[in-house]
Amino acid sequence: VQLQASGGGSVQAGESLRLSCAMPRKITSVFNGYHMAWYRQAPGKQRELVARISTGGDTYTADSVKGRFTISRDGSRKMVFLRMNSLKPEDTATYYCHAQQRETQSESWGQGTQLTVSS
């Protein structure tokens, strides 16, 4: 499936930003069959899971962002969001939207959106 991520940018430490990811070419019932997640990859580092939300709305948030980042989804808009508060320079990375079909386990990645946090 096609995923379109957006919302990255350059901010100062302590500021907030929201990333969005859309699944524009699928109907809501299809979107609702996907677990959605955000990953990030900083230069020279491996891609890591930031947050995940299941088809049922259960969430997981990495310890490194817990209490600052919140993942949510809107089935009617076929979108997943990552609300990021109290941003830190170490949050600087390219953020990727990820979808995994609940039954087939097939996976898709968005194109990545860059976040730069300056101190």
Side-chain angles (χ1 to χ4, degrees), residues 4-116:
Q4 293 180 347
S6 60
S10 296
V11 299
Q12 296 292 315
E15 294 184 343
S16 298
L17 205 65
R18 189 181 76 163
L19 303 182
S20 301
C21 176
M23 189 182 289
R25 297 185 178 182
K26 298 296 182 181
I27 59 176
T28 293
S29 60
V30 172
F31 173 80
N32 290 341
Y34 281 83
H35 304 305
M36 302 297 296
W38 288 96
Y39 286 74
R40 68 184 181 186
Q41 187 168 20
K45 294 188 177 182
Q46 289 188 329
R47 191 172 297 189
E48 63 175 355
L49 175 64
V50 176
R52 184 175 186 267
I53 185 166
S54 73
T55 57
D58 296 324
T59 61
Y60 163 84
T61 308
D63 288 343
S64 58
V65 303
K66 194 165 292 183
R68 300 188 297 120
F69 290 14
T70 303
I71 189 170
S72 61
R73 63 190 295 160
D74 184 338
S76 63
R77 298 169 65 186
K78 300 169 291 177
M79 296 183 72
V80 62
F81 306 98
L82 185 67
R83 179 66 181 180
M84 306 181 291
N85 297 327
S86 303
L87 284 163
K88 303 176 181 180
E90 50 263 45
D91 295 320
T92 295
T94 301
Y95 284 72
Y96 296 90
C97 180
H98 176 265
Q100 183 182 44
Q101 213 287 326
R102 176 180 55 201
E103 293 164 351
T104 67
Q105 309 295 304
S106 65
E107 299 180 63
S108 299
W109 291 92
Q111 81 280 16
T113 184
Q114 176 68 36
L115 170 66
T116 302

